[in-house]
Amino acid sequence: MASFIVQSFVENRWVSPALDLEPIRNAVTGEVVAETSSAGLDFGTVVRHGRSAGGRALRAMTFHQRAAMLKGLAQAIMTHKEELYELSFATGATRADSWIDIEGGAGTMFSFASKGRRELPDDRILIDGDTEVLGKTGTFIGQHVYTPLQGVAVLINAYNFPVWGMLEKLAPCLLGGMPAIVKPAEQTGYVAALAVRIMIDTGLLPEGALQLVSGSAGDLLDHLGGQDAVAFTGSARTAQKLQNHAIIARESVRFTAERDSLNASVLGPDATPDTPEFDLFVKEVAKEMTVKAGQKCTAIRRALVPAILMDDVQAALIDRLAKVSIGDPRIDGVRMGPLVSLAQRDDVRRRVRELSTHAPIVFGSLEGVPLVGDGIANGAFLTPILLRADDPWGHPAIHEVEAFGPVSTLMPYQDVADAVALANRGCGSLVMSVFTHDDALARDVVLGSGSHHGRILFVDRDCAKESTGHGSPLPVLVHGGPGRAGGGEELGGIRAVKHFMQRTALQGGPAILSRVVSQQLTGAPTQIVDTHPFRLRFGELEPGYGIQTPLRKVTLEDIEHFAHFTGDMFYAHMDEEAASKSSIFGGRVAHGYLILSFAAGLFVDPAPGPVLANYGLEGLRFVKPLKPGESIKALLTVKSKKLKTPEMGEVRWTVKVTDQDDDLVASYDLLTMNAV
């Protein structure tokens, strides 16, 4: 592979550095694969361009438009994935390693695109939570909303996942309406740069929505302010340096970190060598040691097993690790490639030497790696290294020093409480896994360790086939952890989008706030329309449109007929003596579902029209019993609407069923699909 210069993409153009070029070496061969530098970039101008051009354009788009953009970007990554795979080999990654990075990154964008369409409104304001009634008569209310921050998000990524690490931050950032400045780690930044080029070439991104800084960050952070955000993945030392940056502290720049983590995996005491859980544990520990050559922030660094099973687990792990072929990641059958660089290999060696004074090496070597492939003698290769610490409480270093490579330490525990305490000794981690078929044990672990881990995975014979594994963050679940792990969080579905938005409390009258948020809020008046709203198409309906039905009396004959017809003979409907003794009913009452049915009969327009289907109701509450001889009426109001396809959209209606005295009998949200 010929050497090339890694460009930056700033102010809507690709820029090649001319000064201070730093070489990046192929992790497999040791040859220079690229050169990088950010010399000559005006970071103040870069930040201003993102805020002005990118921010303005993104904020003008709705959540659904941004979601469609994400989908298009993900499709482009998948279309050009082979180019990314080819380039990624130089980082030392096997194709299986890069699958996690490249297709996993695209999958994350697809996930956020889908959730954006399904869970967010086709609007630019996001309502958060229920309306709070602040006055006695309901004319003064409060409502929380989210709107995009009007700054830029600086996304600083680690070297181990140049595509996924970038896209898992970028997807919620763009969906939230905030422009991004991506700063990848120099060692693998050339792969991130190709991914950025692929996305820019789609033409889907507004100018300034995405910029790329290749090389050093320079004085980039000096230009940030209170509307900006920084999302960082990397070492604890660098995270602390960034958190203490004078501008970040002074301007209260939003900062989230995902950093060092001594993740633990626990073999349950029930998982003896004759159980499936034992084999699953051994397989997972070995996999986490060798995938990406152990260069994963979620890798298993501490393997905790019952003391009586130490020798069995060690023998099984050694047997599996001995079968791992190491060498050129392009060659079929090679399971583990090199570390990302010679410097990283040297760092891992130093840390293993420190750890091995307390936990001897029982498999692997710091020197002499048997390799598969030619011309790779100068690569950054290392064998998997398994250490054994028989006294896990006597040597704090094994819970404090992380060798960021194919390294794990085996250690015993005496009972479940001891296992929990040892897992927590890591002082905060991204993930903990437990291999057990004991549900009581699982509950004890959550109660004892939930506070110390961002994610806890339970694996047993029942879920193993579908389990995504210890080391796989998912876009719908939180990725992050307390303490040493950084104290922040990423992913977690729509929660991640809100990290790039401001939560604001609105106060005012229901009518004006309903117009602000484009949704009918509690207390807002219904606009009674002349045309039945079921005769209006999706595009003709507006929140607040509705109808008030006439009264309908519910007779004892209606109740008895409904009971016999449906088979619902509950005593409150059919036994006057028993119902009279109830402090709730005080006599026979109408079925709740009879009330719903009669209410539908009052407001449903029967002729074919724009309403294509009734597909559900939510939030149903029966508030007051209805006695025979009393009457009901229904107030049907458009609450909100959301386009689902070009042909139809979801309309959410608020239904309030009241009696002849205007007392509330039942309330719910009705969902219909309406033609556009």
Side-chain angles (χ1 to χ4, degrees), residues 182-261:
V182 172
K183 166 59 183 74
E186 289 94 322
Q187 188 59 45
T188 57
Y190 54 91
V191 181
L194 177 57
V196 169
R197 185 177 293 275
I198 290 168
M199 291 188 288
I200 294 296
D201 287 349
T202 65
L204 296 172
L205 285 159
E207 180 180 338
L210 174 59
Q211 298 182 88
L212 168 73
V213 173
S214 297
S216 168
D219 66 349
L220 174 59
L221 301 186
D222 292 343
H223 302 279
L224 302 184
Q227 285 291 305
D228 301 311
V230 175
F232 169 80
T233 297
S235 70
R237 182 173 61 183
T238 304
Q240 291 165 11
K241 181 179 178 181
L242 295 178
Q243 281 178 301
N244 292 324
H245 190 283
I247 298 299
I248 289 178
R250 188 188 74 196
E251 301 294 331
S252 297
V253 176
R254 293 194 184 188
F255 183 88
T256 184
E258 185 262 281
R259 62 189 200 189
D260 296 354
S261 183

Side-chain angles (χ1 to χ4, degrees), residues 6-16 192-198 200-201 212 214:
V6 186
Q7 294 181 306
S8 294
F9 184 77
V10 295
E11 302 172 65
N12 209 40
R13 58 192 176 92
W14 289 97
V15 179
S16 295
L194 177 57
V196 169
R197 185 177 293 275
I198 290 168
I200 294 296
D201 287 349
L212 168 73
S214 297

Side-chain angles (χ1 to χ4, degrees), residues 44-262:
T45 302
V46 172
V47 169
R48 287 190 293 273
H49 181 69
R51 287 178 186 151
S52 57
R56 187 183 306 112
L58 286 172
R59 292 193 299 274
M61 301 168 68
T62 68
F63 289 108
H64 285 198
Q65 289 171 327
R66 297 175 206 148
M69 177 182 67
L70 291 185
K71 182 178 180 180
L73 298 177
Q75 289 171 331
I77 293 291
M78 291 300 293
T79 299
H80 296 275
K81 65 181 182 180
E82 293 302 327
E83 300 169 43
L84 290 163
Y85 275 121
E86 182 64 25
L87 197 57
S88 188
F89 282 124
T91 71
T94 65
R95 187 175 179 93
D97 294 336
S98 294
W99 179 86
I100 301 169
D101 186 34
I102 297 165
E103 298 191 45
T108 296
M109 293 197 85
F110 278 127
S111 178
F112 275 97
S114 176
K115 292 184 80 66
R117 286 280 296 176
R118 288 185 289 110
E119 299 179 26
L120 297 177
D122 191 15
D123 198 354
R124 297 185 292 155
I125 294 176
L126 175 61
I127 293 175
D128 180 56
D130 295 330
T131 303
E132 298 287 346
V133 179
L134 305 176
K136 291 182 179 181
T137 63
T139 61
F140 186 56
I141 64 170
Q143 178 67 61
H144 286 102
V145 299
Y146 279 96
T147 54
L149 290 172
Q150 297 190 16
V152 295
V154 178
L155 312 180
I156 304 174
N157 304 308
Y159 69 78
N160 50 350
F161 290 100
V163 180
W164 176 86
M166 172 176 61
L167 299 186
E168 62 99 11
K169 292 181 174 67
L170 184 63
C173 174
L174 293 178
L175 185 56
M178 198 172 189
I181 299 172
V182 172
K183 166 59 183 74
E186 289 94 322
Q187 188 59 45
T188 57
Y190 54 91
V191 181
L194 177 57
V196 169
R197 185 177 293 275
I198 290 168
M199 291 188 288
I200 294 296
D201 287 349
T202 65
L204 296 172
L205 285 159
E207 180 180 338
L210 174 59
Q211 298 182 88
L212 168 73
V213 173
S214 297
S216 168
D219 66 349
L220 174 59
L221 301 186
D222 292 343
H223 302 279
L224 302 184
Q227 285 291 305
D228 301 311
V230 175
F232 169 80
T233 297
S235 70
R237 182 173 61 183
T238 304
Q240 291 165 11
K241 181 179 178 181
L242 295 178
Q243 281 178 301
N244 292 324
H245 190 283
I247 298 299
I248 289 178
R250 188 188 74 196
E251 301 294 331
S252 297
V253 176
R254 293 194 184 188
F255 183 88
T256 184
E258 185 262 281
R259 62 189 200 189
D260 296 354
S261 183
L262 285 168

Side-chain angles (χ1 to χ4, degrees), residues 540-625:
E540 297 171 320
L541 289 169
E542 294 294 337
Y545 282 12
I547 58 167
Q548 174 70 69
T549 74
L551 286 165
R552 173 174 178 173
K553 181 181 288 188
V554 179
T555 68
L556 184 60
E557 290 73 21
D558 292 330
I559 296 171
E560 291 182 342
H561 174 74
F562 190 86
H564 290 291
F565 188 70
T566 63
D568 182 354
M569 308 289 286
F570 188 61
Y571 80 91
H573 315 306
M574 300 300 288
D575 188 334
E576 180 65 38
E577 181 179 355
S580 297
K581 295 177 182 178
S582 168
S583 61
I584 297 176
F585 304 116
R588 295 173 70 176
V589 298
H591 303 70
Y593 297 112
L594 181 150
I595 294 171
L596 294 185
S597 299
F598 279 17
L602 289 170
F603 63 68
V604 167
D605 187 298
V611 176
L612 305 175
N614 167 1
Y615 79 104
L617 57 86
E618 296 178 355
L620 172 63
R621 292 292 183 272
F622 296 116
V623 180
K624 179 184 177 183

Side-chain angles (χ1 to χ4, degrees), residues 305-316 388 390 410:
V305 305
I308 60 173
L309 296 180
M310 281 285 285
D311 292 340
D312 293 307
V313 173
Q314 178 179 313
R388 174 168 174 157
D390 286 303
L410 186 65

Side-chain angles (χ1 to χ4, degrees), residues 303-429:
L304 281 56
V305 305
I308 60 173
L309 296 180
M310 281 285 285
D311 292 340
D312 293 307
V313 173
Q314 178 179 313
L317 272 172
I318 289 174
D319 180 64
R320 183 170 284 273
L321 292 171
K323 298 173 183 176
V324 174
S325 54
I326 306 167
D328 189 338
R330 294 174 180 271
I331 298 176
D332 289 341
V334 168
R335 289 263 308 279
M336 192 175 92
L339 277 75
V340 73
S341 66
L342 293 175
Q344 182 61 27
R345 184 186 67 179
D346 291 343
D347 182 73
V348 171
R349 283 173 170 171
R350 283 194 298 271
R351 294 177 183 274
V352 170
R353 291 189 181 99
E354 182 179 355
L355 288 169
S356 63
T357 61
H358 313 296
I361 296 174
V362 294
F363 179 84
S365 171
L366 295 179
E367 307 291 344
V369 183
L371 299 176
V372 177
D374 299 322
I376 59 175
N378 294 323
F381 293 96
L382 187 67
T383 68
I385 295 175
L386 180 66
L387 303 102
R388 174 168 174 157
D390 286 303
D391 181 13
W393 287 108
H395 304 290
I398 63 175
H399 306 289
E400 297 171 358
V401 175
E402 181 180 23
F404 200 73
V407 182
S408 189
T409 302
L410 186 65
M411 58 188 73
Y413 68 83
Q414 304 305 315
D415 53 29
V416 174
D418 191 41
V420 166
L422 283 170
N424 294 351
R425 183 65 182 80
C427 297
S429 79

